Amino acid sequence: MATTSTQPVFIALQANNDTLPIIEAIRQDNPQAVVHDYPAMVKIDCPGRLVIRRETVEEHLGRAFDLREIQVNMISIAGNVDESEDEFTLEWKSA
Amino acid sequence: MAAEGNAKPAKKLSLKENYALLTRGLGWEPSYEKKEDIFRYIHFEGVKIHDWDKWEDPFRLTMDAYWKYQGEKERKLYAIVDAFQQHNGQFNVTDARYVQALKVFINGITELEYDSHRGFNILAREFPGVGPRIAAQMQSLDELRHATTQIHTISQYAKYFTGMNEFPYQFDRVWYLSIPKSFFEDAVTSGPFEFIVAISFAFEYVLTNLAFMPWMSGAAFNGDMATVSFGFSAQSDEARHMTLGIEVIKFLLEQDPGNVPLVQKWIDKWFWRGYRLLSLLATMMDYMLPKRVMAWNEAWEIYYEQNGGALFADLARYGIKPPKRAPETIAEKGHVAHQMWSVFYANRDAVGFQMWLPSDEEMAWMSEKYPDTFDQYYRPRYEYWKAQEAAGTPFRNTTLPQLCQVCQWPCLFTESGDPTTLSLRESEYRGQTFHMCSDGCKDIFDDTPEKYVHAWLPVHQIYQGNCFLPGVDPTAPDFNPMVEALRYMGIKPGVDGGDFKGSADATNWEKWTSRPANIHEGAYTDAVRDTASPADVGARKAG
Ligand SMILES: [Fe+2]
Ligand SMILES: [Fe+2]
């Protein structure tokens, strides 16, 4: 893994039917992720790094998924962003 | 076409290649104008940029994808707002006190979206790099969308409640609305690099989460599905803007070591400016949400101390330190909401939203959330004011407060670590004395006094006689400066603001919904139906 940081990154998503499979994919690919439920909002914290993998989202969603679709339901993020076709990553570099 | 029938289809471009072609690939080198004549302001601040192509936009969002996803956001949002309007959603919120927070929103925050649209238009014009120009152009469109969706959503409330129908007029005239107005005008009259550090980094990346995540979640919790929808729809753009903020900082710091002290100075300044502005949300969260999700001090811990801590740990490798005045914000977190509410209450005859003293239930919540401050400093004050209301001699200020030359808040804050002493600072400039609310604001004034001496401070202007409508005669025997200043501001005394109990909003709410206007105080009027069963009512009458 690219980082040794344990500083929390987060992503917050609207709590709706579109984001359920994304949240499930995040849980599956990030065992250290902690999911907080708030009214209308889900905030997911993770130490150092959080990754959303297209393939995992597609497994849960049952159709092809463009990671840029996340933009529609994303409320906020913390961490440096890197995005490719296959992965959307949030990461802190320093401890 | 036949001639090309055997050609293989072109290889699908990767996201990164596609992004490069649709951003950098759209730029060109000027041939008949000099670059410095086209990009006029980028040397003004002393920032050094050696290679604009080093700019990385991590979202790799191209214009075609931008329109597609923004269109989808708009369709979702307007469907919800339509449903809300058709179903009289304005009557499904917790109570009519909640609506007062929307007055603050439309009058004080929506115009900032529009100002932000203007600011990013300037950046989209002035930055020589194609990547940041396109990012600024998208953000400019986003901000216009935020303004229009907010106006459209809140217009439904404006049909039924007071104080929301004059927002562009009031933004330029109401004394406390100069706080947000001066904030953004300070930013937009800076150079392009200071503006983007101020708004994209210090305000959007470091601070807006703390306002919009818990507050909008609170709007949902109070049944306002229209506001939470525009709020989170705007935040979905905000996540992209925040990324622009952190990229800008990294880009500036990596381009030249000489940029580090400039960036640090702007972070220190705009963190403080942004914090002072957003403290308004502290009162909106703690006092104006009848059902609460989180207290201001908890939000500050999560979104500044924890997440800001992670951010500044990450930036330490560039030599960037956390904002200079961050310790003061932590020291104030148990006080700021209570101090602001007190000042608004005392000046309620001159504000455009209605005020009330916190109920017993709310004070119990505050004691629990603020164990180190509420019972000691603020509960006694509210209990005293409640007793005065009960005695028929309610406390009210009949003069306007001293404003800070920089943030334009009334000088209402106390010394860090001494909540019984008001914090007042002053500086001399060209033989005149200027007043500030804090060390953070004094730092800013002292760095650029020649800018802040021009501040249009509404209270000063009112007392100098510059805030009356045409034809008003200050020498007339029945001239009342306060009444005339309120007319100039577009505030209808006793209608838009004043006491919540007995207001048009409270009375109409009970008439239209048959529910109490304040869920903690029971019915103000007979319009509230007794919802107990007939047997209970009969038993009560008999008893
Ligand atoms: Fe915005
Ligand atoms: Fe100030």
Side-chain angles (χ1 to χ4, degrees):
Chain A
M1 211 161 275
T3 186
T4 52
S5 175
T6 54
Q7 297 281 0
V9 297
F10 76 73
I11 185 163
L13 299 168
Q14 294 189 42
N16 61 28
N17 284 321
D18 291 346
T19 57
L20 286 176
I22 304 172
I23 295 163
E24 280 315 305
I26 293 173
R27 278 189 212 269
Q28 186 176 326
D29 290 332
N30 303 273
Q32 289 180 283
V34 182
V35 179
H36 303 274
D37 287 304
Y38 294 100
M41 173 172 91
V42 175
K43 177 170 177 273
I44 306 168
D45 296 336
C46 201
R49 184 172 190 268
L50 181 147
V51 62
I52 305 178
R53 292 181 56 244
R54 180 181 53 78
E55 277 189 357
T56 319
V57 177
E58 288 179 346
E59 274 166 35
H60 288 276
L61 190 61
R63 66 160 170 89
F65 184 73
D66 183 331
L67 284 171
R68 292 180 297 182
E69 287 181 45
I70 296 171
Q71 307 248 357
V72 176
N73 290 297
M74 181 164 55
I75 295 170
S76 186
I77 48 179
N80 295 294
V81 175
D82 192 43
E83 191 184 23
S84 70
E85 282 91 342
D86 300 320
E87 289 190 348
F88 177 94
T89 311
L90 294 166
E91 184 176 82
W92 292 124
K93 296 191 189 332
S94 311
Chain B
M1 272 173 278
E4 288 158 16
N6 293 330
K8 282 187 186 150
K11 182 177 143 284
K12 190 167 179 277
L13 294 172
S14 77
L15 189 57
K16 286 177 196 186
E17 289 165 329
N18 191 35
Y19 174 76
L21 283 172
L22 283 170
T23 50
R24 310 276 156 75
L26 296 176
W28 68 88
E29 285 298 314
S31 56
Y32 57 89
E33 291 281 0
K34 289 202 287 296
K35 263 199 159 165
E36 54 270 34
D37 292 338
I38 298 174
F39 304 111
R40 298 157 297 179
Y41 299 118
I42 46 154
H43 301 294
F44 162 71
E45 298 159 284
V47 165
K48 292 191 188 66
I49 304 295
H50 304 290
D51 183 1
W52 280 96
D53 282 339
K54 289 272 159 48
W55 177 279
E56 277 275 347
D57 188 347
F59 270 120
R60 311 218 161 90
L61 187 69
T62 52
M63 262 299 169
D64 56 327
Y66 173 80
W67 291 121
K68 178 179 163 199
Y69 293 120
Q70 295 304 99
E72 202 170 314
K73 289 178 188 177
E74 292 276 277
R75 276 194 301 277
K76 277 183 65 166
L77 173 59
Y78 278 90
I80 294 170
V81 174
D82 277 354
F84 175 86
Q85 296 184 348
Q86 285 179 4
H87 293 85
N88 277 322
Q90 71 280 357
F91 297 139
N92 293 335
V93 297
T94 308
D95 68 23
R97 292 178 304 161
Y98 169 80
V99 177
Q100 307 308 311
L102 297 179
K103 296 187 190 177
V104 179
F105 206 101
I106 188 75
N107 288 311
I109 299 176
T110 299
E111 284 79 357
L112 297 185
E113 305 280 14
Y114 189 74
D115 281 349
S116 186
H117 157 69
R118 294 164 65 203
F120 281 93
N121 262 340
I122 295 172
L123 296 192
R125 165 66 184 78
E126 295 298 338
F127 275 154
V130 185
R133 277 169 69 184
I134 290 191
Q137 191 179 8
M138 288 178 186
Q139 179 157 355
S140 164
L141 294 166
D142 294 337
E143 302 297 357
L144 191 58
R145 176 176 101 85
H146 301 171
T148 54
T149 54
Q150 290 166 20
I151 292 164
H152 178 65
T153 304
I154 293 179
S155 69
Q156 176 74 357
Y157 284 95
K159 291 176 194 163
Y160 298 92
F161 301 98
T162 62
M164 289 179 269
N165 56 339
E166 298 279 7
F167 58 92
Y169 178 90
Q170 292 199 344
F171 190 65
D172 293 334
R173 289 168 183 80
V174 170
W175 63 276
Y176 52 88
L177 296 180
S178 77
I179 299 163
K181 182 180 162 76
S182 69
F183 170 89
F184 233 96
E185 290 185 354
D186 187 357
V188 92
T189 52
S190 306
F193 292 106
E194 182 174 346
F195 177 83
I196 200 167
V197 170
I199 302 305
S200 300
F201 181 75
F203 193 57
E204 300 194 286
Y205 199 97
V206 183
L207 292 168
T208 53
N209 272 334
L210 147 115
F212 286 92
M213 293 171 67
W215 201 83
M216 286 299 169
S217 191
F221 198 45
N222 284 279
D224 187 355
M225 77 176 188
T227 295
V228 67
S229 297
F230 81 60
F232 283 164
S233 190
Q235 277 301 115
S236 70
D237 300 342
E238 205 66 38
R240 180 159 33 80
H241 304 168
M242 292 162 65
T243 310
L244 178 63
I246 196 168
E247 288 310 314
V248 132
I249 289 284
K250 288 194 294 191
F251 176 70
L252 292 177
L253 297 172
E254 281 167 9
Q255 281 290 309
D256 197 284
N259 295 340
V260 176
L262 276 173
V263 169
Q264 182 75 54
K265 184 173 94 170
W266 292 333
I267 290 175
D268 291 346
K269 170 180 174 180
W270 288 98
F271 170 81
W272 185 256
R273 287 290 261 129
Y275 161 73
R276 270 289 187 254
L277 173 63
L278 282 187
S279 311
L280 183 60
L281 267 291
T283 42
M284 287 169 73
M285 279 170 61
D286 286 353
Y287 285 83
M288 303 181 94
L289 292 177
K291 295 199 294 187
R292 292 153 307 256
V293 172
M294 185 181 278
W296 168 258
N297 58 344
E298 295 172 306
W300 194 250
E301 282 156 23
I302 294 174
Y303 293 105
Y304 180 68
E305 294 174 51
Q306 208 183 92
N307 291 310
L311 168 68
F312 285 105
D314 197 69
L315 293 175
R317 68 199 143 106
Y318 298 108
I320 288 293
K321 294 193 279 294
K324 182 180 174 192
R325 297 298 176 186
E328 280 89 333
T329 67
I330 295 168
E332 281 183 7
K333 71 185 174 192
H335 299 281
V336 72
H338 315 303
Q339 294 178 354
M340 281 187 182
W341 192 253
S342 300
V343 166
F344 280 126
Y345 173 79
N347 292 286
R348 62 195 176 283
D349 295 328
V351 301
F353 50 95
Q354 292 141 19
M355 301 295 303
W356 56 91
L357 292 171
S359 67
D360 293 342
E361 187 272 351
E362 284 161 329
M363 289 209 282
W365 178 80
M366 288 179 196
S367 300
E368 186 197 316
K369 292 292 180 182
Y370 294 100
D372 301 329
T373 57
F374 188 74
D375 284 348
Q376 193 177 349
Y377 301 109
Y378 305 104
R379 179 185 282 276
R381 180 185 297 174
Y382 290 136
E383 282 173 350
Y384 174 72
W385 281 344
K386 278 194 173 188
Q388 286 204 309
E389 280 191 3
T393 54
F395 175 75
R396 37 185 24 113
N397 253 359
T398 50
T399 55
L400 285 169
Q402 164 76 54
L403 303 184
C404 171
Q405 189 76 25
V406 174
C407 69
Q408 307 210 6
W409 274 102
C411 290
L412 62 90
F413 308 97
T414 54
E415 294 289 348
S416 287
D418 181 7
T420 58
T421 304
L422 271 182
S423 167
L424 297 166
R425 299 288 181 275
E426 52 182 66
S427 291
E428 296 281 322
Y429 183 71
R430 293 192 178 174
Q432 283 190 302
T433 305
F434 296 88
H435 301 270
M436 274 71 67
C437 72
S438 56
D439 290 326
C441 284
K442 183 171 158 60
D443 289 348
I444 295 167
F445 181 89
D446 289 346
D447 185 67
T448 328
E450 63 277 16
K451 183 170 192 179
Y452 295 96
V453 295
H454 294 289
W456 196 90
L457 293 176
V459 171
H460 290 48
Q461 296 298 323
I462 291 168
Y463 286 133
Q464 285 172 31
N466 296 330
C467 299
F468 304 124
L469 292 173
V472 169
D473 176 10
T475 61
D478 58 347
F479 173 73
N480 180 331
M482 197 67 153
V483 167
E484 290 303 333
L486 286 171
R487 281 185 56 213
Y488 168 84
M489 291 184 237
I491 291 179
K492 292 183 270 319
V495 178
D496 296 331
D499 290 303
F500 178 71
K501 187 175 179 176
S503 69
D505 283 351
T507 307
N508 286 334
W509 174 272
E510 297 198 341
K511 195 161 75 190
W512 292 331
T513 70
S514 307
R515 304 198 324 268
N518 176 341
I519 53 165
H520 296 128
E521 287 193 348
Y524 292 147
T525 67
D526 293 339
V528 175
R529 283 198 342 260
D530 197 329
T531 51
S533 72
D536 288 343
V537 175
R540 216 183 299 151
K541 279 190 181 136

